[in-house]
Amino acid sequence: MQDAPESERYEIRDGDRLLGLAAYSRRGARVVFTHTEIDPDAEGSGLGGRLVRAALDDVRSRGETVVPRCSFVRGWIERHPEYGDLVDRGDA
């Protein structure tokens, strides 16, 4: 997983092949997740969860918070309450 800030997204790749992305926009110290997409051939493999976990771990390491507008990210955080502290409650 890597942050691609020029594209405003976290990406997960296999070599040059993009397998998934978590799009965001940054607002100061808040990361607003807007969309998550996984290659149809990789759906059901857990790749989306790995991508979101890695992205949230990166956000945490930067001391930022998240606004989970994307339903996939929001649902993942709900299923993993140990990440709930990252949610910016002022705009969740």
Side-chain angles (χ1 to χ4, degrees), residues 9 11-12 14 16 27 37 45-46 48 64 73-74 80 90 92:
R9 65 189 191 187
E11 300 176 339
I12 192 161
D14 181 12
D16 289 337
R27 296 183 186 162
E37 191 173 315
S45 66
E64 298 171 331
V73 173
R74 185 172 47 252
H80 299 86

Side-chain angles (χ1 to χ4, degrees), residues 37-47:
E37 191 173 315
I38 299 298
D39 184 305
D41 293 336
E43 286 182 4
S45 66
L47 207 57

Side-chain angles (χ1 to χ4, degrees), residues 1 3 10 26 29-33 51-67 73 76-89:
M1 191 282 311
D3 186 8
Y10 286 93
R26 288 194 186 277
R30 296 188 313 163
V31 181
V32 181
F33 284 96
L51 173 62
V52 170
R53 180 185 301 274
L56 295 177
D57 286 345
D58 186 60
V59 169
R60 185 185 303 278
S61 76
R62 296 172 190 243
E64 298 171 331
T65 60
V66 301
V67 179
V73 173
W76 193 93
I77 291 171
E78 288 171 0
R79 290 187 305 279
H80 299 86
E82 66 273 22
Y83 285 85
D85 64 309
L86 290 176
V87 176
D88 187 305
R89 301 293 174 193

